[in-house]
């Protein structure tokens, strides 16, 4: 499953450049052209990381970061982009919860390396082809699942949904984004469809009453880390 990254930046040329380069490296980039558009995107979709410019029209990147860290998507890794060389500006961003800082101009290769490093730090439970959280261990290569040491049989769709939740353990994945995020755009998407599959997944994981996969009313689901 490709990584999904949100770029919040009003520089259309930069967005075009990064979209092409990152696509070659299994990273799908979505561009929001201002802070409010970026916050709306985070509220309706699921992303592995955010690339956030500091200098933008309307609300600036530091205010966007402040709202991200106090909102539902507060744990998403954020890499700040700026043309400023002001040390104080970098310090404020890091104090607000930025995971890293890259000064413009930068090379796409450097940005990709920084992005991968941030994601490794944000997902310490991912080792090689295994993802672990909440007593669940998924072997991506073998497509096998165990819960508290006991093997669990899942359908292909249930497995993909679980992986999508595990990759963002501790963060809310909206219903409208979950099936697509699991790479299953072939399935008709609707709130009822998602709820039915999550209910079946919970039963197979022994998550009744739900403690591992929690419902966030009116938004979606979060797998507790």
């Amino acid at each position: 499953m490709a990584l999904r990254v949100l770029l919040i930046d009003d520089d259309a040329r930069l967005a075009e450049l990064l979209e092409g380069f990152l696509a070659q490296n299994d990273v799908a980039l979505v561009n929001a052209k201002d802070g409010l558009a970026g916050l709306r995107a985070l509220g309706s979709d699921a992303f592995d990381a955010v690339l956030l410019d500091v200098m933008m029209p309307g609300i600036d990147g530091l205010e966007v970061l402040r709202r991200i860290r106090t909102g539902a998507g507060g744990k998403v890794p954020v890499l700040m982009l700026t043309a400023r060389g002001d040390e104080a500006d970098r310090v404020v961003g890091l104090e607000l919860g930025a995971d890293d800082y890259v000064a413009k101009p930068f090379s796409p290769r450097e940005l990709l390396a920084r992005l991968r490093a941030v994601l490794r730090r944000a997902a310490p439970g991912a080792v090689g082809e295994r993802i672990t959280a909440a007593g669940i261990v998924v072997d991506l290569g073998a497509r096998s699942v165990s819960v508290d040491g006991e093997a669990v049989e899942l359908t292909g769709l249930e497995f993909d949904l679980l992986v999508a939740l595990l990759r963002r353990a501790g963060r809310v994945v909206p219903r409208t984004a979950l099936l697509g995020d699991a790479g299953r755009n072939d399935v008709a998407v609707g709130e009822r469809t998602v709820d039915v599959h999550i209910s079946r997944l919970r039963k197979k994981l022994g998550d009744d009453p739900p403690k591992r996969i929690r419902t966030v009313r009116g938004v979606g689901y979060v797998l507790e880390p």
Side-chain angles (χ1 to χ4, degrees):
M1 181 176 65
L3 294 173
R4 300 189 73 250
V5 173
L6 175 65
L7 171 65
I8 307 177
D9 195 317
D10 62 330
D11 188 336
R13 292 184 63 185
L14 176 64
E16 184 179 0
L17 171 67
L18 289 180
E19 183 177 8
F21 175 80
L22 294 176
Q24 298 172 25
N25 291 273
D26 205 28
V27 178
L29 190 72
V30 175
N31 181 215
K33 296 181 180 180
D34 59 54
L36 291 177
L39 292 170
R40 286 195 296 269
L42 283 170
S44 62
D45 210 338
F47 297 94
D48 294 288
V50 174
L51 305 176
L52 176 60
D53 188 32
V54 171
M55 298 295 292
M56 290 185 294
I59 61 174
D60 66 17
L62 295 176
E63 177 59 24
V64 173
L65 177 60
R66 192 192 317 273
R67 297 188 189 186
I68 289 174
R69 289 295 179 243
T70 57
K75 295 182 180 180
V76 63
V78 176
L79 198 157
M80 302 291 291
L81 311 176
T82 181
R84 292 181 179 179
D86 185 6
E87 180 182 357
D89 198 46
R90 294 196 297 271
V91 170
V92 171
L94 294 170
E95 287 179 345
L96 287 173
D99 295 273
D100 201 355
Y101 228 103
V102 178
K104 296 180 180 178
F106 53 81
S107 73
R109 289 183 181 277
E110 178 192 3
L111 179 68
L112 179 61
R114 294 285 193 96
L115 178 61
R116 286 172 170 167
V118 164
L119 290 170
R120 283 196 298 270
R121 293 197 299 269
V127 180
E129 292 294 307
R130 291 159 63 91
I131 306 176
T132 67
I136 302 168
V137 179
V138 171
D139 186 316
L140 297 177
R143 290 185 68 85
S144 64
V145 178
S146 66
V147 179
D148 296 331
E150 296 291 330
V152 175
E153 293 294 328
L154 300 180
T155 67
L157 177 56
E158 290 163 354
F159 181 89
D160 292 339
L161 290 173
L162 178 59
V163 169
L165 290 167
L166 279 166
R167 287 192 184 279
R168 295 169 176 79
R171 288 182 274 151
V172 178
V173 182
R175 284 183 176 85
T176 53
L178 187 53
L179 288 175
D181 190 54
R184 299 304 293 259
N185 291 313
D186 55 314
V187 180
V189 178
E191 287 197 3
R192 180 58 180 167
T193 302
V194 175
D195 291 342
V196 167
H197 288 296
I198 290 295
S199 176
R200 292 172 180 169
L201 178 59
R202 280 171 167 160
K203 290 179 180 178
K204 291 186 178 182
L205 296 177
D207 193 27
D208 186 20
K211 294 181 180 179
R212 289 185 169 94
I213 301 175
R214 181 168 57 86
T215 301
V216 179
R217 190 177 298 277
V219 181
Y221 297 94
V222 57
L223 190 142
E224 299 294 348

